[in-house]
Amino acid sequence: MTGDRLYPDRPIVGVGVAVFRGTDVLLIKRAKPPISDRWSIPGGAQEIGETVREAALREVAEETGLAVEIVGLVDVVDGITRDAGGRARYHYTLVDFAARWLSGEARAASDAAAVRWVARDALAAVPMWDETRRIVESAAEMVAAAR
């Protein structure tokens, strides 16, 4: 992606994917700002010429090596980090999907520092953004209903 992510002149469209293998969800530890060293779901910026669904599938493959099937759209979330003066240091419009694992062994790649499968009942112990936790819970219900 071209353009500056720090102090952008417009929001950047990003995608996130809550990937489930049974009742376990795939989490990645981010390697880059704005949430480096924090657990999240795979995802990243949409590229020119690709749909948000194409971006979601690409980002999961790039960051984890997995092939997934998108079940549906969970929500659209604003990810805004402000500096001490209140100016938007980062501004993302995040389109979050629920997906099922199809194939592959999860491995950290691209901008993921680590990956791990986490049982849904163990999510409370994983430090992550509250919005990510909400998205994962909503996605889990969506995936369960689609079975």
Side-chain angles (χ1 to χ4, degrees):
M1 177 184 162
T2 60
D4 211 356
R5 292 185 185 200
L6 188 61
Y7 293 104
D9 57 2
R10 66 179 50 96
I12 296 166
V13 178
V15 296
V17 187
V19 178
F20 288 86
R21 184 178 67 184
T23 58
D24 292 349
V25 65
L26 182 71
L27 297 180
I28 66 163
K29 185 177 262 191
R30 292 264 165 223
K32 296 180 181 178
I35 58 171
S36 50
D37 295 324
R38 290 181 57 193
W39 290 99
S40 187
I41 56 178
Q46 180 184 20
E47 295 179 355
I48 297 295
E50 74 181 349
T51 68
V52 290
R53 288 175 185 266
E54 290 168 342
L57 296 173
R58 176 185 51 77
E59 285 290 342
V60 171
E62 285 179 4
E63 291 185 346
T64 71
L66 300 180
V68 301
E69 170 189 41
I70 293 177
V71 174
L73 174 67
V74 178
D75 203 353
V76 177
V77 177
D78 294 301
I80 304 170
T81 303
R82 298 190 185 277
D83 63 17
R87 197 165 153 225
R89 183 174 167 85
Y90 294 99
H91 187 160
Y92 292 92
T93 299
L94 305 168
V95 182
D96 292 313
F97 293 97
R100 278 191 284 260
W101 169 86
L102 291 177
S103 65
E105 291 299 320
R107 60 169 171 49
S110 184
D111 65 342
V115 297
R116 71 182 199 189
W117 292 101
V118 177
R120 187 175 176 195
D121 62 359
L123 279 173
V126 179
M128 69 177 73
W129 185 33
D130 288 341
E131 276 297 285
T132 301
R133 190 177 312 283
R134 183 184 67 78
I135 292 297
V136 168
E137 288 298 331
S138 295
E141 292 169 13
M142 183 180 286
V143 169
R147 287 192 181 122

